[in-house]
Amino acid sequence: MKRKDLETRRRFLKKSSFAAAALTLSSGCSEGVSNKNLDYSIPKNGFHGKSENRRNWSGDIRSGKVIFVAHCVLNQNARIVDAADFPAMHDQLLDYIQKAKVGIIQMTCPETYCLGLGRFDVRVGLEHPAGMERLLRLIDDLIFTIQEYLFQGMEVVGIIGKEGSPSCGVNQTWYNESGHGEGQGVFIRELKKKLRNNKLDIPVIGVADHRQNEAIEWLERELFQS
Ligand code: SF4
């Protein structure tokens, strides 16, 4: 950016933040200003959607559509040793989602969250009571977020797992050194249980690293043909 452009932008930003502050001070309960009387306590089930918190989102350019995506689709550095298939991310799939104007919510990597980056024996670790406790905590947070987007009237297009993973596999998973094939990863299995328990009908599909076109075709049908 040229020096002159930079100066103009700085002046604009300064001006607009002063204007916003002035507006806030002069209009006690305008949109975007929190009301001290609102109850933000969170009940035990973790969902705090209340009618007074429901907002109108139609005043700007946002698409109102989001998709939840396995962490490593956006960050291959979370993969277990020797398992990254790309330098950084699934470019083809992400390029499609971006062009389709769907917001991406990157799910936390369940293996990293429960077992760390240098993990071994993933399935054993996740099925262990200590691993399962952390995993269920993570899934609770996810359910909370899904419910909030739905409560606010947005569309949750789907959840994209990662085929072949012992955690995020949807149709194909890894059991141990001598076994992999059809089946679900531990995270996806538990997530689907929680979705059912909460009556959340969100499609869950898996992306295979070298068949991203299949996930794209699914998205195309979901977004534009249904
Ligand atoms: S656990 Fe899931 S998100 Fe994490 S690296 Fe494996 S497939 Fe990716």
Side-chain angles (χ1 to χ4, degrees):
M1 198 179 274
K2 285 188 193 143
R3 193 181 169 79
K4 196 171 164 229
D5 292 346
L6 209 58
E7 282 305 314
T8 313
R9 185 161 165 71
R10 274 204 197 111
R11 272 202 302 279
F12 168 74
L13 285 173
K14 215 169 161 192
K15 244 191 197 167
S16 33
S17 57
F18 283 149
L23 191 66
T24 304
L25 287 172
S26 67
S27 62
C29 57
S30 70
E31 283 275 302
V33 178
S34 70
N35 178 339
K36 285 202 183 99
N37 296 326
L38 288 180
D39 175 10
Y40 283 100
S41 61
I42 300 177
K44 249 198 163 137
N45 68 8
F47 179 45
H48 70 285
K50 299 188 181 87
S51 54
E52 65 267 33
N53 292 43
R54 200 194 300 264
R55 309 295 292 269
N56 178 0
W57 305 101
S58 63
D60 59 29
I61 198 174
R62 76 188 69 198
S63 70
K65 292 179 184 180
V66 294
I67 190 159
F68 288 75
V69 173
H71 183 94
C72 62
V73 169
L74 288 118
N75 175 29
Q76 292 281 293
N77 296 298
R79 288 265 175 102
I80 201 164
V81 172
D82 293 333
D85 271 321
F86 310 105
M89 52 188 81
H90 288 58
D91 294 339
Q92 192 189 350
L93 176 61
L94 294 172
D95 189 47
Y96 176 85
I97 297 175
Q98 191 245 325
K99 290 197 171 90
K101 300 185 173 53
V102 177
I104 297 173
I105 298 177
Q106 182 183 25
M107 295 188 286
T108 299
C109 168
E111 291 176 15
T112 307
Y113 182 76
C114 298
L115 308 170
L117 280 173
R119 56 200 178 264
F120 295 96
D121 297 332
V122 167
R123 198 171 269 272
V124 176
L126 290 181
E127 298 282 22
H128 184 279
M132 187 54 67
E133 193 187 330
R134 276 182 79 77
L135 187 71
L136 294 179
R137 200 188 307 163
L138 177 65
I139 292 173
D140 275 350
D141 286 348
L142 200 50
I143 295 287
F144 182 100
T145 308
I146 292 171
Q147 285 177 317
E148 181 61 12
Y149 274 93
L150 292 174
F151 175 73
Q152 296 289 354
M154 310 242 186
E155 182 184 346
V156 176
V157 175
I159 297 172
I160 300 190
K162 151 72 182 85
E163 292 301 15
S165 157
S167 310
C168 300
V170 178
N171 300 299
Q172 296 288 319
T173 192
W174 175 273
Y175 293 103
N176 50 44
E177 287 305 324
S178 52
H180 50 94
E182 282 187 13
Q184 298 181 110
V186 181
F187 169 67
I188 291 292
R189 183 192 74 208
E190 296 301 321
L191 174 60
K192 280 184 160 180
K193 269 191 220 163
K194 282 270 181 177
L195 288 169
R196 272 197 304 276
N197 291 347
N198 285 279
K199 300 188 172 36
L200 292 167
D201 186 18
I202 311 287
V204 180
I205 67 145
V207 61
D209 286 345
H210 298 294
R211 295 204 308 275
Q212 292 174 52
N213 57 314
E214 291 173 11
I216 292 171
E217 282 161 18
W218 177 85
L219 267 170
E220 182 81 16
R221 286 195 297 277
E222 211 53 27
L223 288 167
F224 303 112
Q225 292 167 25
S226 53

